Amino acid sequence: MDFITALGTIIILDLVLAGDNAVVIALASRNLPQNMRQKAIYVGTAGAIGIRIVMTVLAAYLLTISYIQAIGGLLLLPIAIKLLKPSEGTGEISVAANFSSAVKTIIVADAAMGIDNVLAIAGAAHGNLTLVVVGLLISVPIIIWGSSLIAKCMDKFPMLITLGAAILAYTSATMIIGDKVIGSLLLDLNEYIRYILPVIFVVGVVSSPYFFRKKA
């Protein structure tokens, strides 16, 4: 019963925390042909899950590394900007130009976002790696289905692309604020930074296509 309860908790955590991961998978793969899109989602998700398992094994060690969450947040910010970068010579929004870059974007972004997720799941598993792996395996099909659905919605409603990038920018800011060292320093400087930084990041990312077009 304890095993089942812990497993249920981990599956729920996986699904709740996977929202932004599904968004970045959809963003990175949406410009690929349909057959390539599904393959990129499968390969990218598999690579991301592999990295998560390794990170979970090393969760106790990750907790001792200063600035790790802030670094993850900073890595995520340029990815959010890249996903909105206009194609050269056109005003259209460009995402991953080919299969390999789509897969790389999925894996790197998921690894950056996965730091706090992994720590939460590792805590719920109480060091039981079997629980973590089984929880991930159960939740992966739902994440893949969710990212495929989001990608199709983005095809019909382009505004969702901007919304997705804004979610990544917000996630980036919250990761930096949540860092034990950097977050504490920022909050000591100004307690309202927890509200100001996400707004700055979201506005900066959402407006970035304008500056790219202006330079072009």
Side-chain angles (χ1 to χ4, degrees):
M1 183 59 68
D2 289 341
F3 182 89
I4 294 173
T5 302
L7 179 60
T9 301
I10 289 171
I11 292 172
I12 292 171
L13 275 172
D14 277 328
L15 296 178
V16 170
L17 297 172
D20 46 7
N21 302 82
V23 168
V24 78
I25 291 170
L27 280 169
S29 62
R30 64 173 291 277
N31 272 7
L32 295 173
Q34 187 60 39
N35 60 328
M36 294 288 286
R37 177 187 293 178
Q38 285 301 115
K39 188 176 180 182
I41 289 174
Y42 292 143
V43 175
T45 302
I49 293 301
I51 291 174
R52 282 198 178 208
I53 292 173
V54 173
M55 288 171 66
T56 302
V57 174
L58 300 174
Y61 174 69
L62 288 175
L63 282 170
T64 67
I65 303 176
S66 300
Y67 314 110
I68 186 70
Q69 203 164 338
I71 292 170
L74 289 174
L75 285 174
L76 190 58
L77 188 61
I79 291 174
I81 294 172
K82 177 187 174 184
L83 293 171
L84 282 179
K85 187 176 181 181
S87 300
E88 209 168 298
T90 73
E92 298 178 357
I93 290 175
S94 169
V95 198
N98 53 52
F99 177 82
S100 60
S101 63
V103 171
K104 184 173 75 172
T105 299
I106 291 169
I107 293 175
V108 172
D110 190 274
M113 289 185 294
I115 295 169
D116 51 348
N117 298 14
V118 162
L119 296 178
I121 292 167
H126 302 292
N128 190 328
L129 185 60
T130 302
L131 276 171
V132 175
V133 174
V134 173
L136 283 171
L137 291 176
I138 292 174
S139 60
V140 162
I142 300 173
I143 296 171
I144 291 174
W145 174 81
S147 57
S148 299
L149 178 62
I150 292 171
K152 289 177 182 176
C153 290
M154 286 177 176
D155 289 339
K156 294 183 179 180
F157 308 103
M159 180 57 68
L160 291 177
I161 302 168
T162 302
L163 178 61
I167 291 172
L168 298 184
Y170 177 82
T171 303
S172 170
T174 55
M175 286 180 68
I176 293 171
I177 294 169
D179 185 85
K180 289 183 178 179
V181 179
I182 301 298
S184 296
L185 288 173
L186 291 174
L187 290 171
D188 285 342
L189 290 174
N190 189 329
E191 62 177 308
Y192 295 106
I193 197 71
R194 68 174 76 250
Y195 309 111
I196 297 171
L197 192 63
V199 171
I200 292 173
F201 276 27
V202 169
V203 172
V205 167
V206 169
S207 62
S208 63
Y210 168 78
F211 295 102
F212 285 123
R213 292 190 187 104
K214 193 171 182 180
K215 287 182 180 179

